[in-house]
Amino acid sequence: MKVLKFGGTSLGKPDRMHHVASLITNDDVPKLVVLSAIAGTTNALVNIDQALGAGEKEKAAELIDDLYAHYQGFIQNLYQHTDALEKANTVIKEHFDLIRSFPDQAYQPQFEKDILARGELLSTQLFTIYLKEKGISVRLLPALDFMSIDVHQEPDIEAIEHKLKALISANKGCGLFITQGYICLNHQGNIDNLKRGGSDYTASLIGAALKAEEVQIWTDIDGMHNNDPRIVEKTFPVSRLSFDEAAELSYFGAKILHPASIWPVQKYNIPVRLLNTMQPDAPGTFISKSTSEDEIKAIAAKDGIVAIKIKSSRMLLAYGFLRKVFEVFEKYRTPIDMITTSEVAVSLTIDDSTNLQEIHQELRAFGKVEIDRDQTIICIVGAKVSENRGVVRKVFDSIDRVPIRMISFGGSKNNISFLIDTKFKKAVLDRLNIGLFSIDLIE
Ligand code: ASP
Ligand code: MG
């Protein structure tokens, strides 16, 4: 069994859905296909929920009407026969009737989850109707029947495996299954989700649960690139990555893959391919246990970082100081990304500044605290990059005089990271592209 996930842009227009249908039916390999919501839908649903939460009923009603009209237009070009169109109309009406019932009730936090789930429920139901219209044999497996998270919002692969295998064996002989990405049930049995971009995570969890032959993530780019293609010219797809390298790149900003989606496939050693729906023959990126020994694979950048420096002479020769500092972050459930220490100061970074004020207040008890916002972590990933002096020299030669706020080196042998002010980001990424990949920008 292969697990294939298609993102919102791959489904964003009726003819793209037609194209996805031909991609998943061009051989006899059994497949389970995970779909995101149609492009733009989840954002639109977020806006509807926010309007409802703010008590702006008229605005919510307008947004609901707009999205409804979008779906009505979409299905006109999706199907050929009126009976398929009628079925699709019924599906759309059901979901929108539910959304329209919310403004009449007092707002509850659960509405958000119920509203956001509509995107994936709609895309999978409309797509299944299309496949059936084409005479393709297919089963829609509701994600809410097998995908669940526990009290700590963690999925349990064994529970998913148990339920999903039962559903699949109840459909013996079927070689094509469709399901929703992103959505799940929580420990209270209510609709929930795996957080924004979570459809990749769904595909990875399913791949791990079924011990799939491979997981394919289909998007609109031909694999993970060596540098950020939205910022830097002349980037190229990386053909192979190890799970560790892919995890570091996706965590440190490579948008193509949800960072949480690596651990399940890594745990069960299921290879992953990143492929391009618009260019299905392009080789993309292959992620597996082993990798090529290329010195440097890729560069990623993560914005929105806050650097915090605590300077204290009390740290000198003291033990237990770092523990006290870390406890403050633990108390406010704020993960630390990078950390460097000297005998009298500790610098660290966070990307969630929700509780920054409270954290700042408590850290003051330990010494002088300096805070810098708008920082970017630049992360260079490759097999043993940090053990290779040539690479280290090239990195520092390339960035030349750009001031570096922090460096993390040796924490993992696959990664060198440093922190800069975000205003230098483009220059640094450009220079590293030239310096590390010998790319000539002046042709
Ligand atoms: N539709 C959800 C989102 O936009 C999940 C996903 O696309 O992966 O975040
Ligand atoms: Mg996505």
Side-chain angles (χ1 to χ4, degrees):
M1 177 84 81
K2 288 190 181 177
V3 178
L4 285 73
K5 177 258 171 176
F6 290 88
T9 29
S10 301
L11 308 162
K13 296 196 175 107
D15 58 347
R16 296 213 175 141
M17 274 205 180
H18 299 163
H19 177 58
V20 170
S22 66
L23 280 175
I24 61 173
T25 50
N26 67 358
D27 62 26
D28 292 332
V29 180
K31 295 181 188 75
L32 196 156
V33 176
V34 177
L35 301 186
S36 288
I38 291 171
T41 302
T42 310
N43 286 342
L45 293 169
V46 167
N47 293 339
I48 291 170
D49 170 66
Q50 284 176 349
L52 288 175
E56 299 168 338
K57 288 189 185 179
E58 265 172 44
K59 184 175 169 199
E62 244 172 65
L63 294 169
I64 296 170
D65 286 345
D66 288 350
L67 192 62
Y68 184 69
H70 177 73
Y71 273 86
Q72 292 266 289
F74 193 95
I75 58 170
Q76 297 306 320
N77 298 315
L78 184 59
Y79 307 107
Q80 273 186 341
H81 302 99
T82 42
D83 50 339
L85 197 59
E86 270 168 28
K87 277 186 200 141
N89 249 319
T90 314
V91 164
I92 294 175
K93 196 172 167 308
E94 255 172 45
H95 290 292
F96 279 86
D97 280 350
L98 184 97
I99 300 175
R100 288 201 168 100
S101 72
F102 290 126
D104 300 330
Q105 307 166 48
Y107 185 81
Q108 294 165 30
Q110 182 58 35
F111 288 180
E112 181 195 2
K113 308 285 171 68
D114 290 347
I115 291 174
L116 292 186
R118 299 301 122 194
E120 275 68 12
L121 291 168
L122 277 162
S123 65
T124 48
Q125 288 171 354
L126 298 180
F127 187 60
T128 306
I129 295 173
Y130 173 68
L131 293 173
K132 289 192 172 156
E133 180 188 45
K134 297 258 296 171
I136 296 162
S137 161
V138 56
R139 289 280 182 290
L140 178 60
L141 299 179
L144 300 180
D145 288 353
F146 65 86
M147 189 57 72
S148 55
I149 48 175
D150 63 17
V151 196
H152 308 290
Q153 308 206 322
E154 294 293 338
D156 171 353
I157 294 188
E158 271 155 38
I160 297 166
E161 174 180 349
H162 184 70
K163 290 185 194 147
L164 185 53
K165 284 192 173 159
L167 288 171
I168 290 176
S169 38
N171 287 288
K172 280 232 157 53
C174 178
L176 182 60
F177 296 95
I178 308 285
T179 195
Q180 296 87 20
Y182 178 60
I183 62 173
C184 60
L185 286 187
N186 60 25
H187 71 289
Q188 292 168 315
N190 292 326
I191 295 185
D192 211 315
N193 59 60
L194 302 174
K195 312 256 161 60
R196 292 305 304 271
S199 296
D200 294 344
Y201 195 17
T202 302
S204 162
L205 289 165
I206 292 177
L210 296 180
K211 315 291 173 289
E213 196 182 319
E214 70 178 31
V215 172
Q216 300 180 351
I217 306 286
W218 290 80
T219 62
D220 53 356
I221 179 162
D222 51 352
M224 181 113 53
H225 275 224
N226 72 310
N227 201 333
D228 191 336
R230 293 162 302 179
I231 298 175
V232 176
E233 274 177 58
K234 298 203 180 171
T235 62
F236 55 84
V238 181
S239 56
R240 296 196 62 164
L241 288 171
S242 67
F243 290 121
D244 286 337
E245 291 168 344
E248 306 213 59
L249 286 169
S250 55
Y251 182 69
F252 284 109
K255 285 281 175 299
I256 184 165
L257 197 60
H258 190 283
S261 53
I262 302 292
W263 75 261
V265 280
Q266 182 162 25
K267 184 165 176 196
Y268 294 95
N269 196 16
I270 315 288
V272 177
R273 267 178 220 283
L274 307 179
L275 295 163
N276 185 353
T277 321
M278 322 298 165
Q279 234 180 294
D281 297 326
T285 300
F286 185 66
I287 304 169
S288 65
K289 201 168 156 186
S290 59
T291 178
S292 58
E293 290 286 304
D294 293 352
E295 291 182 325
I296 307 165
K297 295 290 176 42
I299 306 163
K302 190 174 183 187
D303 295 333
I305 304 292
V306 179
I308 304 170
K309 184 198 262 177
I310 307 130
K311 229 179 140 185
S312 165
S313 49
R314 266 189 284 160
M315 197 175 156
L316 201 67
L317 301 176
Y319 51 83
F321 182 83
L322 283 178
R323 178 175 49 76
K324 287 187 204 131
V325 169
F326 287 154
E327 273 168 1
V328 174
F329 290 87
E330 194 181 340
K331 178 170 170 195
Y332 292 100
R333 302 174 72 87
T334 303
I336 296 168
D337 280 333
M338 278 174 82
I339 172 155
T340 57
T341 64
S342 80
E343 204 44 58
V344 288
V346 48
S347 274
L348 43 83
T349 70
I350 58 172
D351 72 349
D352 175 1
S353 51
T354 323
N355 297 311
L356 184 60
Q357 243 187 328
E358 290 84 349
I359 291 173
H360 189 176
Q361 193 56 39
E362 295 208 16
L363 290 177
R364 275 201 189 122
F366 305 129
K368 195 167 160 258
V369 182
E370 279 170 34
I371 292 187
D372 288 318
R373 294 168 189 270
D374 296 324
Q375 305 286 304
T376 293
I377 295 178
I378 305 281
C379 169
I380 296 151
V381 169
K384 306 195 187 113
V385 276
S386 75
E387 288 174 3
N388 185 325
R389 272 202 250 163
V391 173
V392 180
R393 186 173 327 115
K394 275 193 216 164
V395 169
F396 292 104
D397 282 351
S398 315
I399 52 180
D400 196 21
R401 277 187 289 266
V402 171
I404 296 177
R405 174 79 167 71
M406 276 168 78
I407 300 176
S408 165
F409 180 81
S412 133
K413 62 182 190 313
N414 297 323
N415 160 340
I416 302 174
S417 320
F418 54 89
L419 187 73
I420 54 165
D421 192 306
T422 303
K423 67 182 180 222
F424 299 119
K425 172 176 146 182
K426 177 160 170 46
V428 165
L429 291 180
D430 278 340
R431 287 186 199 177
L432 288 172
N433 214 40
I434 301 168
L436 299 185
F437 299 100
S438 314
I439 286 170
D440 189 359
L441 286 179
I442 321 144
E443 238 172 31

